[in-house]
Amino acid sequence: MAPDCIFCRIVGGGIPSRKIYDDEDIFAFHDIRPVAPVHFLMVPRVHIASLYECEPSHAAALGKMLAMAGRLAREQGATDGFRTIINTGRVGRQEVYHVHMHVIGGPDVLPGMIVRK
Ligand code: 5GP
Ligand code: ZN
């Protein structure tokens, strides 16, 4: 646990959140500023600042985030598809430095992902 980390404090219960799932490895909760009808975040319980800091020992938690995303998305109402996003570092526009995966969906809300220049 990193005491100054918002998501560590959410996982620890010190900051309230709208939790949708947790187990011994991961924690999932609604994003406080959703960009779509379904928008939740999945995080490892352990503090990892970004994908740059990930190591093989983190594979179980990271894999579980992916393995659980579809089930949780469906339960939240994203039944016809969703997008997963992990922003990393400055160029990735990461704002909170505790690895998190956005799960974003809902009816026909997502634009094409990559704008080709
Ligand atoms: P990033 O840009 O780092 O990928 O995304 C960080 C996300 O965390 C943003 O979508 C933001 O709305 C969300 N967020 C930031 N602070 C809080 C908080 O205190 N509670 C919740 N539930 N979400 C937060
Ligand atoms: Zn943290």
Side-chain angles (χ1 to χ4, degrees):
M1 161 127 182
D4 294 337
C5 171
I6 295 174
F7 289 174
C8 280
R9 292 171 67 190
I10 284 177
V11 169
I15 294 178
S17 69
R18 291 171 58 218
K19 180 176 84 173
I20 63 173
Y21 175 82
D22 75 315
D23 63 25
E24 67 275 21
D25 295 314
I26 65 172
F27 193 99
F29 55 102
H30 291 281
D31 196 293
I32 204 166
R33 292 184 61 214
V35 298
V38 175
H39 186 178
F40 62 89
L41 304 173
M42 303 181 73
V43 305
R45 282 187 175 276
V46 64
H47 180 79
I48 312 166
S50 81
L51 284 185
Y52 280 129
E53 283 75 30
C54 284
E55 300 173 358
S57 64
H58 300 133
L62 296 169
K64 195 180 272 185
M65 285 161 54
L66 281 174
M68 291 295 299
R71 184 182 120 189
L72 297 181
R74 188 179 282 122
E75 287 174 1
Q76 292 304 311
T79 55
D80 197 23
F82 61 92
R83 183 168 292 158
T84 52
I85 300 173
I86 303 178
N87 294 321
T88 301
R90 181 184 66 83
V91 170
R93 306 273 184 107
Q94 183 176 0
E95 292 175 4
V96 177
Y97 277 77
H98 178 131
V99 167
H100 53 282
M101 183 167 76
H102 297 256
V103 179
I104 300 171
D108 296 323
V109 290
L110 297 177
M113 186 173 71
I114 294 175
V115 178
R116 298 182 194 280
K117 294 181 179 168

